Amino acid sequence: MGASNSGAQKCLWRPTEDQRLFAEQDEKKFLANLWETLPAFFGFVTWKTSSWTQLALVVDNRKEELLKHLNDNIYLDGGTANMEISDVRLAVLDGESSEQQRQTGLFSWLTFVEPRVTYRFDHAGHVVSTTAVNTDAMLRPPPPVPSLDRLGIVAKLQQLERAGQGDTYGFSMALSYSCTHVRPPQGPVSQAATCIVLLLHVEPSRTLVLTISASALGHDGTTEIAATAMSGREVARLHVDPWTVSVGNIVCQLAENCKCRPRQLRLVFPGGISLSDGRDGGCCGQLLAPLLQLEDTGVRAKDAEEADASTRQHHQLQEDFFPQVQDDLLPQPHNMPQL
């Protein structure tokens, strides 16, 4: 179903400037890449055969997976590392306007046999289908596209934007219209539209600071490292060879233990050495031994670039998305407001 709405994607509103994920010129790239990857996320059959209401339920049920998918794509599309998406929702907004009084009770079945013509339009106002029931009368030219304001959708969009409180993106993902002419050419006309909005709540990236300590080297050149949170609670203990394991490897393992994303971790090594203390992302390929201030036991150190390559391979082999962050380690994400 998504293919018919290709081209309808655009940004309806943005967070305040200090809360934005990327520059405005990168938004189109993000949306284009997202539109291409959504079928794989939902499953190609589900994407093509499900209604938007059904897809919205899938988003609610698989929210953690979608959040990781979105956050991983941000940095590929020029996004900042200082912000992250903490909540996501797919909103289906329907609106209608009719000149005919709705039939109820025993007379409601009459609407199904009355002569009528229904025109369906895409987001650009082009007729994509025409259905005639018990009539040959067709409007030439077709009726104009109804106004979103008249159908009440503009008011719903404004309500969502206000509820976002300046820290929510609103992206239009799809827009379709319909117009039904009953008893043409003189009968009443009813109009309807459906607008699909992707809501992304953003907030500063949550950072978990872990202090790293290591035991003395064993005869085999390995050591046991402990990761301790600021509260003093030990969150992980790993047995590693510091001459063959890189910082990136350890970050990935600790992220899995803490159930968070690798970029949310800040490691503090002996002597107060931190990855943010002038040691940028290039440090991920660095071997652990120098940071742990360990003496070489004669074990041959592998090249740092090889260790970094194994880190990237580790990322590629990860099939499962990270589950929700533990309550006692990181604050809970913001709940998206409901209509």
Side-chain angles (χ1 to χ4, degrees):
M1 67 164 299
S4 61
N5 289 285
S6 181
Q9 300 75 45
K10 63 178 181 179
C11 184
L12 299 175
W13 65 83
R14 305 172 180 86
T16 55
E17 190 169 351
D18 60 337
Q19 295 282 95
R20 295 180 185 177
L21 294 171
F22 22 53
E24 291 185 23
Q25 62 266 26
D26 293 321
E27 290 174 358
K28 289 185 178 180
K29 180 182 177 183
F30 170 74
L31 276 175
N33 290 342
L34 177 62
W35 191 255
E36 291 180 358
T37 59
L38 279 179
F41 172 78
F42 286 105
F44 292 97
V45 175
T46 300
W47 176 252
K48 286 186 172 295
T49 61
S50 301
S51 67
W52 282 109
T53 300
Q54 292 170 323
L55 293 179
L57 292 176
V58 174
V59 170
D60 291 340
N61 292 332
R62 299 174 59 193
K63 182 173 293 188
E64 289 301 320
E65 295 180 38
L66 184 55
L67 282 173
K68 182 185 183 299
H69 175 80
L70 292 170
N71 280 311
D72 287 348
N73 282 342
I74 288 174
Y75 308 103
L76 299 177
D77 299 330
T80 173
N82 297 324
M83 302 296 296
E84 67 176 3
I85 302 170
S86 61
D87 202 0
V88 57
R89 180 179 160 220
L90 196 62
V92 181
L93 307 181
D94 294 314
E96 62 178 350
S97 174
S98 177
E99 299 174 355
Q100 183 180 26
Q101 184 176 1
R102 190 182 298 273
Q103 299 286 348
T104 59
L106 296 176
F107 297 99
S108 60
W109 64 273
L110 291 174
T111 59
F112 295 100
V113 296
E114 278 189 310
R116 65 186 185 276
V117 181
T118 299
Y119 303 85
R120 290 181 173 82
F121 308 84
D122 63 12
H123 66 282
H126 302 135
V127 177
V128 294
S129 68
T130 304
T131 305
V133 177
N134 296 332
T135 182
D136 294 327
M138 308 290 284
L139 293 180
R140 294 287 188 264
V145 172
S147 163
L148 292 181
D149 193 7
R150 180 184 178 187
L151 299 179
I153 290 182
V154 170
K156 293 180 179 180
L157 290 172
Q158 292 172 344
Q159 182 182 352
L160 282 177
E161 183 177 5
R162 288 194 300 270
Q165 299 178 344
D167 52 13
T168 300
Y169 278 96
F171 290 108
S172 172
M173 301 301 292
L175 178 62
S176 60
Y177 304 87
S178 68
C179 182
T180 300
H181 196 174
V182 180
R183 298 186 301 277
Q186 304 299 328
V189 176
S190 62
Q191 300 172 320
T194 299
C195 181
I196 310 302
V197 182
L198 180 68
L199 300 171
L200 304 179
H201 177 265
V202 298
E203 62 182 33
S205 296
R206 300 182 295 274
T207 302
L208 176 60
V209 179
L210 297 179
T211 300
I212 305 299
S213 59
S215 62
L217 286 171
H219 294 294
D220 57 354
T222 62
T223 184
E224 188 174 59
I225 64 172
T228 307
M230 296 298 290
S231 63
R233 185 169 66 88
E234 184 177 294
V235 298
R237 185 172 286 271
L238 305 173
H239 191 78
V240 300
D241 181 349
W243 299 102
T244 60
V245 173
S246 72
V247 173
N249 296 138
I250 293 301
V251 168
C252 290
Q253 293 182 53
L254 291 176
E256 291 178 357
N257 279 50
C258 298
K259 295 182 170 55
C260 67
R261 288 178 285 276
R263 63 183 177 80
Q264 292 177 275
L265 292 180
R266 180 185 175 191
L267 306 185
V268 179
F269 293 91
I273 300 174
S274 173
L275 295 187
S276 60
D277 295 338
R279 298 174 179 264
D280 55 15
C283 187
C284 288
Q286 183 176 346
L287 297 178
L288 272 180
L291 293 173
L292 295 177
Q293 301 181 2
L294 299 171
E295 295 182 358
D296 192 343
T297 60
V299 180
R300 184 173 180 270
K302 292 186 178 180
D303 187 80
E305 293 183 0
E306 294 180 3
D308 191 29
S310 67
T311 303
R312 291 193 296 270
Q313 183 180 18
H314 175 88
H315 278 296
Q316 294 170 358
L317 295 177
Q318 291 296 314
E319 296 180 354
D320 297 329
F321 293 100
F322 288 119
Q324 189 170 358
V325 179
Q326 291 181 359
D327 295 343
D328 58 342
L329 295 181
L330 299 174
Q332 289 295 308
H334 179 86
N335 291 324
M336 194 67 67
Q338 301 289 329
L339 276 178

